[in-house]
Amino acid sequence: MASSCMGIGGEGSAPAAPHVLAVDDSSVDRAVITGILRSSKFRVTAVDSAKRALELLGSVCGLTEPQIISRFRNFRFLCCIACAITYSCIGLQGANVSMIITDYWMPDMTGYELLKKVKESSKLREIPVVIMSSENVPTRINRCLEEGAEDFLLKPVRRSDVSRLCSRVLP
Amino acid sequence: MDYSNLRRQIIFMKKSFFDQGYLDEQFNQLEELQDESSPNFVEEVVALFLKDSPRLLINIEQAIEKYPQDFYRLDSLVHQLKGSASSIGAVRMKNECSVLKAHGNDKNLEGCRRSLQKMKREHATLKQKLESYFQLLRQVGPRNSAVNSRK
């Protein structure tokens, strides 16, 4: 379903500014990272959980057949399909997220778990994932980098951290 | 209106926040993100903090005062508060969070209570100071305010 919409708003008509998905359960930190990214002229979508991030990334497309069938009766899932189709048609599909920047410590699903899900998905694994944390824990940092994180930023994140990172990671 | 006098007041006020250790460099970082497209960025972020933090303080108190105490939840709540305080440059609050966290880890109930009371006072003072600051800024207006300039 989504692939038939890819021609509209897909790679051929790529948007001017890279689109960054920011994930943080703190409203203060979401506002700060959004401000930092916007001042560097990125388009930003900020969400408050890893679950919402995966929905936005169109992980619907990454689900296996049994998973899709088992969720079919779930009304919310139908809304996700509707959203995914809409998003892909207006170019907000997973393919159009250039980078994910996520907090490490979140309730329900951590940034590390989100990182793993992204890297396990054939559709999403190419998207660079950056982890942010207020705690400097070397084992945690190594674990994230080993799992494929592009970088690990210590909070509070500064504009210089982000612009250095983006010039390296984004086109 | 005499903007130069107001601007002087604003500069002195902000300087006092830094000199007295209420705010740190992170606050400057936020001010640098203000521009024409987001002229009230700092005030908006601080408003989010002042909206969230009272709830966290209440929940922290509940975690301490319930029996048996929930030190695990306390740690998580203090971590959240510390994070957002740090993000706006509220260094005194951030430091008091570290103290509270340490007392929680030691399961030192009296220490937690003392620290929480101190935290509430710090929070009230910070709120009053920042609200006065933004009120002054609003009087001057974004175009006339030297501190909002990104030059």
Short mmCIF file of all heavy atoms in Angstrom, two decimals, chain A residues 17-24 29-47 97-103 128 130 132 153 157-167 169-170, chain B residues 29-30 32-35 37-38 41 150:
data_model
loop_
_atom_site.label_atom_id
_atom_site.label_comp_id
_atom_site.label_asym_id
_atom_site.label_seq_id
_atom_site.Cartn_x
_atom_site.Cartn_y
_atom_site.Cartn_z
N ALA A 17 15.09 20.91 3.36
CA ALA A 17 15.81 20.75 4.62
C ALA A 17 15.65 19.33 5.13
O ALA A 17 14.58 18.75 5.06
CB ALA A 17 15.27 21.74 5.65
N PRO A 18 16.75 18.75 5.67
CA PRO A 18 16.64 17.40 6.23
C PRO A 18 15.63 17.38 7.37
O PRO A 18 15.50 18.34 8.13
CB PRO A 18 18.04 17.11 6.75
CG PRO A 18 18.93 18.07 6.07
CD PRO A 18 18.12 19.28 5.81
N HIS A 19 14.95 16.26 7.48
CA HIS A 19 13.91 16.12 8.48
C HIS A 19 14.45 15.27 9.63
O HIS A 19 14.86 14.12 9.42
CB HIS A 19 12.70 15.44 7.82
CG HIS A 19 11.56 15.21 8.74
ND1 HIS A 19 10.67 14.17 8.59
CD2 HIS A 19 11.13 15.88 9.84
CE1 HIS A 19 9.76 14.21 9.55
NE2 HIS A 19 10.01 15.23 10.30
N VAL A 20 14.49 15.84 10.81
CA VAL A 20 15.02 15.13 11.97
C VAL A 20 13.88 14.77 12.91
O VAL A 20 13.01 15.58 13.20
CB VAL A 20 16.05 16.00 12.72
CG1 VAL A 20 16.61 15.26 13.93
CG2 VAL A 20 17.18 16.42 11.79
N LEU A 21 13.91 13.54 13.38
CA LEU A 21 12.91 13.08 14.35
C LEU A 21 13.54 13.10 15.73
O LEU A 21 14.54 12.42 15.97
CB LEU A 21 12.45 11.67 13.97
CG LEU A 21 11.46 10.98 14.92
CD1 LEU A 21 10.16 11.76 15.03
CD2 LEU A 21 11.16 9.56 14.42
N ALA A 22 12.99 13.91 16.63
CA ALA A 22 13.52 14.00 17.99
C ALA A 22 12.58 13.27 18.94
O ALA A 22 11.37 13.41 18.86
CB ALA A 22 13.65 15.46 18.40
N VAL A 23 13.18 12.47 19.84
CA VAL A 23 12.38 11.66 20.75
C VAL A 23 12.83 11.93 22.19
O VAL A 23 13.99 11.70 22.54
CB VAL A 23 12.56 10.14 20.46
CG1 VAL A 23 11.53 9.31 21.21
CG2 VAL A 23 12.48 9.87 18.96
N ASP A 24 11.93 12.44 23.02
CA ASP A 24 12.28 12.71 24.43
C ASP A 24 10.99 12.81 25.23
O ASP A 24 10.05 13.49 24.81
CB ASP A 24 13.07 14.02 24.53
CG ASP A 24 13.90 14.09 25.81
OD1 ASP A 24 13.38 13.74 26.90
OD2 ASP A 24 15.08 14.49 25.73
N ASP A 29 13.02 19.22 27.42
CA ASP A 29 14.10 18.79 26.53
C ASP A 29 13.66 18.70 25.08
O ASP A 29 14.45 18.95 24.17
CB ASP A 29 14.66 17.44 27.00
CG ASP A 29 15.44 17.56 28.30
OD1 ASP A 29 15.64 18.71 28.75
OD2 ASP A 29 15.86 16.54 28.86
N ARG A 30 12.40 18.35 24.86
CA ARG A 30 11.88 18.34 23.49
C ARG A 30 11.92 19.75 22.92
O ARG A 30 12.33 19.95 21.77
CB ARG A 30 10.42 17.86 23.45
CG ARG A 30 10.26 16.38 23.25
CD ARG A 30 8.87 16.00 22.75
NE ARG A 30 7.76 16.55 23.49
CZ ARG A 30 7.31 16.10 24.66
NH1 ARG A 30 7.91 15.09 25.23
NH2 ARG A 30 6.29 16.68 25.24
N ALA A 31 11.51 20.72 23.72
CA ALA A 31 11.51 22.10 23.25
C ALA A 31 12.94 22.56 22.96
O ALA A 31 13.19 23.24 21.96
CB ALA A 31 10.87 23.01 24.29
N VAL A 32 13.89 22.18 23.81
CA VAL A 32 15.27 22.61 23.62
C VAL A 32 15.87 21.99 22.37
O VAL A 32 16.46 22.68 21.53
CB VAL A 32 16.14 22.28 24.86
CG1 VAL A 32 17.61 22.55 24.58
CG2 VAL A 32 15.67 23.09 26.05
N ILE A 33 15.72 20.69 22.20
CA ILE A 33 16.32 20.05 21.02
C ILE A 33 15.65 20.54 19.74
O ILE A 33 16.32 20.74 18.71
CB ILE A 33 16.32 18.49 21.14
CG1 ILE A 33 17.22 17.84 20.09
CG2 ILE A 33 14.93 17.90 21.02
CD1 ILE A 33 18.69 18.12 20.29
N THR A 34 14.34 20.80 19.81
CA THR A 34 13.64 21.35 18.65
C THR A 34 14.20 22.72 18.30
O THR A 34 14.46 23.03 17.13
CB THR A 34 12.13 21.45 18.93
OG1 THR A 34 11.61 20.13 19.16
CG2 THR A 34 11.38 22.05 17.75
N GLY A 35 14.40 23.54 19.32
CA GLY A 35 14.96 24.88 19.11
C GLY A 35 16.34 24.82 18.49
O GLY A 35 16.65 25.55 17.55
N ILE A 36 17.17 23.91 19.02
CA ILE A 36 18.53 23.75 18.49
C ILE A 36 18.49 23.33 17.03
O ILE A 36 19.16 23.90 16.17
CB ILE A 36 19.34 22.73 19.32
CG1 ILE A 36 19.63 23.26 20.71
CG2 ILE A 36 20.64 22.35 18.61
CD1 ILE A 36 20.34 22.26 21.62
N LEU A 37 17.68 22.32 16.72
CA LEU A 37 17.63 21.81 15.34
C LEU A 37 17.04 22.85 14.39
O LEU A 37 17.54 23.04 13.29
CB LEU A 37 16.81 20.51 15.31
CG LEU A 37 17.50 19.30 15.96
CD1 LEU A 37 16.50 18.19 16.22
CD2 LEU A 37 18.64 18.79 15.09
N ARG A 38 15.98 23.54 14.83
CA ARG A 38 15.36 24.54 13.96
C ARG A 38 16.31 25.70 13.68
O ARG A 38 16.33 26.24 12.58
CB ARG A 38 14.06 25.09 14.57
CG ARG A 38 12.96 24.09 14.51
CD ARG A 38 11.59 24.69 14.22
NE ARG A 38 10.64 23.59 14.02
CZ ARG A 38 9.62 23.33 14.82
NH1 ARG A 38 9.40 24.10 15.87
NH2 ARG A 38 8.83 22.31 14.57
N SER A 39 17.11 26.08 14.69
CA SER A 39 18.04 27.20 14.48
C SER A 39 19.12 26.80 13.49
O SER A 39 19.75 27.65 12.88
CB SER A 39 18.65 27.67 15.79
OG SER A 39 19.73 26.85 16.15
N SER A 40 19.34 25.50 13.33
CA SER A 40 20.27 25.02 12.31
C SER A 40 19.54 24.70 11.02
O SER A 40 20.07 24.01 10.15
CB SER A 40 21.01 23.76 12.80
OG SER A 40 21.63 24.01 14.03
N LYS A 41 18.31 25.20 10.92
CA LYS A 41 17.51 25.10 9.68
C LYS A 41 17.07 23.68 9.31
O LYS A 41 16.88 23.38 8.15
CB LYS A 41 18.24 25.72 8.47
CG LYS A 41 18.76 27.12 8.72
CD LYS A 41 17.63 28.09 8.97
CE LYS A 41 18.15 29.49 9.22
NZ LYS A 41 17.41 30.22 10.25
N PHE A 42 16.92 22.82 10.30
CA PHE A 42 16.35 21.51 10.01
C PHE A 42 14.86 21.54 10.24
O PHE A 42 14.35 22.32 11.03
CB PHE A 42 16.97 20.43 10.91
CG PHE A 42 18.44 20.27 10.70
CD1 PHE A 42 19.33 20.58 11.72
CD2 PHE A 42 18.95 19.83 9.49
CE1 PHE A 42 20.70 20.45 11.53
CE2 PHE A 42 20.32 19.71 9.29
CZ PHE A 42 21.19 20.02 10.31
N ARG A 43 14.16 20.65 9.55
CA ARG A 43 12.76 20.43 9.88
C ARG A 43 12.75 19.42 11.02
O ARG A 43 13.51 18.46 10.99
CB ARG A 43 12.00 19.85 8.68
CG ARG A 43 11.69 20.88 7.59
CD ARG A 43 10.88 20.25 6.48
NE ARG A 43 11.52 19.08 5.92
CZ ARG A 43 10.92 17.92 5.71
NH1 ARG A 43 9.64 17.75 6.03
NH2 ARG A 43 11.57 16.92 5.18
N VAL A 44 11.89 19.68 12.01
CA VAL A 44 11.89 18.81 13.18
C VAL A 44 10.49 18.29 13.47
O VAL A 44 9.53 19.05 13.43
CB VAL A 44 12.35 19.58 14.44
CG1 VAL A 44 12.56 18.64 15.60
CG2 VAL A 44 13.58 20.40 14.17
N THR A 45 10.44 17.01 13.78
CA THR A 45 9.23 16.47 14.39
C THR A 45 9.65 15.93 15.74
O THR A 45 10.60 15.14 15.82
CB THR A 45 8.63 15.33 13.53
OG1 THR A 45 8.32 15.84 12.24
CG2 THR A 45 7.37 14.78 14.17
N ALA A 46 9.00 16.38 16.80
CA ALA A 46 9.37 15.92 18.14
C ALA A 46 8.24 15.09 18.72
O ALA A 46 7.09 15.49 18.70
CB ALA A 46 9.66 17.12 19.04
N VAL A 47 8.60 13.91 19.23
CA VAL A 47 7.59 13.03 19.85
C VAL A 47 8.04 12.67 21.26
O VAL A 47 9.22 12.78 21.59
CB VAL A 47 7.35 11.75 19.01
CG1 VAL A 47 6.77 12.11 17.65
CG2 VAL A 47 8.62 10.94 18.84
N VAL A 97 12.88 10.58 6.90
CA VAL A 97 13.53 11.01 8.14
C VAL A 97 15.02 10.81 7.95
O VAL A 97 15.49 9.72 7.68
CB VAL A 97 13.02 10.18 9.35
CG1 VAL A 97 13.89 10.41 10.58
CG2 VAL A 97 11.57 10.54 9.66
N SER A 98 15.77 11.92 8.04
CA SER A 98 17.21 11.85 7.76
C SER A 98 18.02 11.47 8.98
O SER A 98 19.15 11.02 8.85
CB SER A 98 17.71 13.20 7.26
OG SER A 98 16.89 13.68 6.25
N MET A 99 17.46 11.71 10.16
CA MET A 99 18.19 11.39 11.38
C MET A 99 17.22 11.28 12.54
O MET A 99 16.20 11.99 12.58
CB MET A 99 19.22 12.49 11.67
CG MET A 99 20.10 12.19 12.87
SD MET A 99 21.44 13.36 13.10
CE MET A 99 20.61 14.68 13.92
N ILE A 100 17.55 10.40 13.46
CA ILE A 100 16.75 10.29 14.68
C ILE A 100 17.66 10.69 15.84
O ILE A 100 18.79 10.21 15.94
CB ILE A 100 16.28 8.83 14.89
CG1 ILE A 100 15.40 8.39 13.73
CG2 ILE A 100 15.53 8.69 16.22
CD1 ILE A 100 15.18 6.89 13.66
N ILE A 101 17.16 11.57 16.69
CA ILE A 101 17.93 11.92 17.89
C ILE A 101 17.02 11.64 19.09
O ILE A 101 15.92 12.17 19.20
CB ILE A 101 18.47 13.37 17.82
CG1 ILE A 101 19.30 13.70 19.05
CG2 ILE A 101 17.39 14.40 17.60
CD1 ILE A 101 20.24 14.89 18.85
N THR A 102 17.50 10.74 19.95
CA THR A 102 16.62 10.26 21.01
C THR A 102 17.28 10.28 22.39
O THR A 102 18.48 10.05 22.53
CB THR A 102 16.11 8.83 20.71
OG1 THR A 102 15.33 8.37 21.82
CG2 THR A 102 17.25 7.84 20.49
N ASP A 103 16.47 10.56 23.39
CA ASP A 103 16.91 10.45 24.77
C ASP A 103 17.14 8.98 25.08
O ASP A 103 16.48 8.11 24.51
CB ASP A 103 15.82 11.04 25.69
CG ASP A 103 16.30 11.20 27.11
OD1 ASP A 103 17.53 11.32 27.33
OD2 ASP A 103 15.45 11.21 28.03
N PRO A 128 20.58 7.37 10.50
CA PRO A 128 21.49 7.53 11.65
C PRO A 128 20.70 7.82 12.92
O PRO A 128 19.73 8.58 12.90
CB PRO A 128 22.36 8.74 11.27
CG PRO A 128 21.91 9.20 9.95
CD PRO A 128 20.74 8.42 9.50
N VAL A 130 21.10 9.03 16.92
CA VAL A 130 21.96 9.65 17.93
C VAL A 130 21.26 9.52 19.28
O VAL A 130 20.06 9.74 19.39
CB VAL A 130 22.18 11.14 17.60
CG1 VAL A 130 22.96 11.84 18.71
CG2 VAL A 130 22.90 11.28 16.27
N MET A 132 20.99 10.68 23.31
CA MET A 132 21.33 11.75 24.27
C MET A 132 21.12 11.21 25.68
O MET A 132 20.18 10.46 25.92
CB MET A 132 20.39 12.95 24.11
CG MET A 132 20.32 13.55 22.74
SD MET A 132 19.14 14.94 22.71
CE MET A 132 17.58 14.06 22.63
N LEU A 153 25.42 11.95 22.73
CA LEU A 153 25.61 13.31 23.23
C LEU A 153 25.23 13.42 24.69
O LEU A 153 24.20 12.88 25.10
CB LEU A 153 24.75 14.29 22.43
CG LEU A 153 24.99 14.40 20.92
CD1 LEU A 153 24.01 15.38 20.31
CD2 LEU A 153 26.42 14.84 20.64
N VAL A 157 22.34 19.32 25.82
CA VAL A 157 22.90 19.35 24.48
C VAL A 157 23.03 20.80 24.01
O VAL A 157 22.15 21.62 24.26
CB VAL A 157 22.00 18.53 23.53
CG1 VAL A 157 22.41 18.71 22.10
CG2 VAL A 157 22.06 17.07 23.91
N ARG A 158 24.14 21.10 23.38
CA ARG A 158 24.37 22.46 22.90
C ARG A 158 24.25 22.50 21.39
O ARG A 158 24.39 21.48 20.71
CB ARG A 158 25.78 22.91 23.26
CG ARG A 158 26.00 22.95 24.73
CD ARG A 158 27.42 23.36 25.03
NE ARG A 158 27.47 23.92 26.36
CZ ARG A 158 28.33 24.86 26.75
NH1 ARG A 158 29.20 25.35 25.89
NH2 ARG A 158 28.30 25.32 27.97
N ARG A 159 24.04 23.70 20.90
CA ARG A 159 23.92 23.86 19.46
C ARG A 159 25.19 23.40 18.75
O ARG A 159 25.12 22.77 17.70
CB ARG A 159 23.62 25.31 19.11
CG ARG A 159 23.31 25.49 17.63
CD ARG A 159 22.59 26.75 17.35
NE ARG A 159 23.35 27.91 17.76
CZ ARG A 159 23.13 29.14 17.31
NH1 ARG A 159 22.17 29.33 16.44
NH2 ARG A 159 23.82 30.14 17.75
N SER A 160 26.35 23.67 19.35
CA SER A 160 27.61 23.28 18.70
C SER A 160 27.74 21.76 18.59
O SER A 160 28.26 21.25 17.59
CB SER A 160 28.80 23.86 19.45
OG SER A 160 28.71 23.52 20.82
N ASP A 161 27.24 21.02 19.58
CA ASP A 161 27.28 19.55 19.50
C ASP A 161 26.48 19.08 18.31
O ASP A 161 26.90 18.20 17.55
CB ASP A 161 26.60 18.90 20.74
CG ASP A 161 27.29 19.25 22.03
OD1 ASP A 161 28.52 19.43 22.02
OD2 ASP A 161 26.58 19.34 23.05
N VAL A 162 25.29 19.66 18.18
CA VAL A 162 24.36 19.22 17.14
C VAL A 162 24.85 19.64 15.75
O VAL A 162 24.79 18.84 14.81
CB VAL A 162 22.94 19.74 17.41
CG1 VAL A 162 22.00 19.44 16.26
CG2 VAL A 162 22.39 19.10 18.68
N SER A 163 25.37 20.85 15.62
CA SER A 163 25.78 21.27 14.27
C SER A 163 27.03 20.48 13.83
O SER A 163 27.16 20.13 12.66
CB SER A 163 26.01 22.77 14.16
OG SER A 163 26.92 23.18 15.12
N ARG A 164 27.90 20.15 14.77
CA ARG A 164 29.06 19.33 14.44
C ARG A 164 28.63 17.95 13.96
O ARG A 164 29.12 17.41 12.98
CB ARG A 164 29.93 19.17 15.71
CG ARG A 164 31.38 18.88 15.42
CD ARG A 164 32.26 18.99 16.66
NE ARG A 164 31.64 18.61 17.90
CZ ARG A 164 31.55 19.40 18.97
NH1 ARG A 164 32.03 20.61 18.93
NH2 ARG A 164 30.96 18.99 20.06
N LEU A 165 27.65 17.41 14.67
CA LEU A 165 27.13 16.10 14.36
C LEU A 165 26.44 16.10 13.00
O LEU A 165 26.68 15.24 12.15
CB LEU A 165 26.12 15.74 15.46
CG LEU A 165 25.28 14.52 15.25
CD1 LEU A 165 26.13 13.30 15.40
CD2 LEU A 165 24.17 14.48 16.28
N CYS A 166 25.58 17.09 12.78
CA CYS A 166 24.79 17.12 11.56
C CYS A 166 25.64 17.32 10.33
O CYS A 166 25.37 16.74 9.27
CB CYS A 166 23.70 18.20 11.65
SG CYS A 166 22.40 17.77 12.82
N SER A 167 26.69 18.12 10.45
CA SER A 167 27.53 18.34 9.27
C SER A 167 28.24 17.04 8.89
O SER A 167 28.57 16.82 7.74
CB SER A 167 28.53 19.46 9.51
OG SER A 167 29.35 19.15 10.60
N VAL A 169 26.88 13.91 9.58
CA VAL A 169 25.94 12.83 9.31
C VAL A 169 25.00 13.11 8.12
O VAL A 169 24.67 12.21 7.38
CB VAL A 169 25.08 12.57 10.58
CG1 VAL A 169 23.89 11.72 10.30
CG2 VAL A 169 25.96 11.94 11.65
N LEU A 170 24.59 14.38 7.99
CA LEU A 170 23.57 14.69 7.00
C LEU A 170 24.20 15.25 5.72
O LEU A 170 25.24 15.86 5.77
CB LEU A 170 22.57 15.70 7.58
CG LEU A 170 21.81 15.20 8.81
CD1 LEU A 170 21.01 16.32 9.43
CD2 LEU A 170 20.89 14.06 8.42
N GLN B 29 22.97 29.63 26.31
CA GLN B 29 22.80 28.79 25.13
C GLN B 29 21.37 28.91 24.60
O GLN B 29 21.14 28.98 23.40
CB GLN B 29 23.08 27.32 25.47
CG GLN B 29 24.54 27.02 25.76
CD GLN B 29 25.35 26.87 24.49
OE1 GLN B 29 24.91 26.25 23.53
NE2 GLN B 29 26.53 27.45 24.46
N LEU B 30 20.42 28.91 25.53
CA LEU B 30 19.02 29.03 25.12
C LEU B 30 18.74 30.41 24.53
O LEU B 30 18.03 30.54 23.54
CB LEU B 30 18.08 28.79 26.31
CG LEU B 30 18.08 27.40 26.93
CD1 LEU B 30 17.01 27.30 28.01
CD2 LEU B 30 17.86 26.31 25.90
N GLU B 32 20.72 32.24 22.93
CA GLU B 32 21.31 32.31 21.60
C GLU B 32 20.43 31.66 20.55
O GLU B 32 20.60 31.91 19.35
CB GLU B 32 22.68 31.63 21.58
CG GLU B 32 23.77 32.51 22.17
CD GLU B 32 25.11 31.83 22.20
OE1 GLU B 32 25.32 30.89 21.41
OE2 GLU B 32 25.95 32.24 23.04
N LEU B 33 19.50 30.83 20.97
CA LEU B 33 18.61 30.19 20.02
C LEU B 33 17.41 31.07 19.67
O LEU B 33 16.61 30.72 18.80
CB LEU B 33 18.10 28.86 20.58
CG LEU B 33 19.17 27.78 20.78
CD1 LEU B 33 18.57 26.57 21.49
CD2 LEU B 33 19.76 27.36 19.45
N GLN B 34 17.27 32.19 20.35
CA GLN B 34 16.16 33.09 20.07
C GLN B 34 16.44 33.88 18.81
O GLN B 34 17.55 34.35 18.62
CB GLN B 34 15.93 34.05 21.25
CG GLN B 34 14.84 33.54 22.14
CD GLN B 34 14.55 34.42 23.34
OE1 GLN B 34 13.75 34.03 24.14
NE2 GLN B 34 15.16 35.59 23.47
N ASP B 35 15.43 34.00 17.96
CA ASP B 35 15.57 34.86 16.78
C ASP B 35 14.18 35.34 16.37
O ASP B 35 13.22 35.15 17.12
CB ASP B 35 16.28 34.10 15.64
CG ASP B 35 15.55 32.84 15.23
OD1 ASP B 35 14.35 32.68 15.59
OD2 ASP B 35 16.15 32.00 14.55
N SER B 37 12.14 34.17 14.26
CA SER B 37 11.13 33.14 14.10
C SER B 37 10.70 32.53 15.44
O SER B 37 9.62 31.98 15.57
CB SER B 37 11.62 32.03 13.16
OG SER B 37 12.83 31.50 13.66
N SER B 38 11.55 32.64 16.46
CA SER B 38 11.13 32.21 17.80
C SER B 38 11.63 33.23 18.83
O SER B 38 12.60 32.98 19.54
CB SER B 38 11.61 30.80 18.13
OG SER B 38 12.99 30.67 17.91
N PHE B 41 11.54 32.20 22.74
CA PHE B 41 11.95 30.81 22.96
C PHE B 41 12.28 30.52 24.42
O PHE B 41 11.80 29.55 24.99
CB PHE B 41 13.14 30.49 22.05
CG PHE B 41 13.67 29.10 22.22
CD1 PHE B 41 12.93 28.00 21.80
CD2 PHE B 41 14.91 28.87 22.79
CE1 PHE B 41 13.41 26.71 21.95
CE2 PHE B 41 15.41 27.58 22.95
CZ PHE B 41 14.66 26.50 22.52
N ARG B 150 20.88 38.49 18.52
CA ARG B 150 21.77 37.40 18.17
C ARG B 150 23.00 37.89 17.46
O ARG B 150 23.66 37.15 16.76
CB ARG B 150 21.03 36.40 17.27
CG ARG B 150 20.11 35.49 18.04
CD ARG B 150 19.52 34.43 17.14
NE ARG B 150 20.49 33.40 16.84
CZ ARG B 150 20.48 32.69 15.74
NH1 ARG B 150 19.60 32.92 14.81
NH2 ARG B 150 21.39 31.76 15.52
#
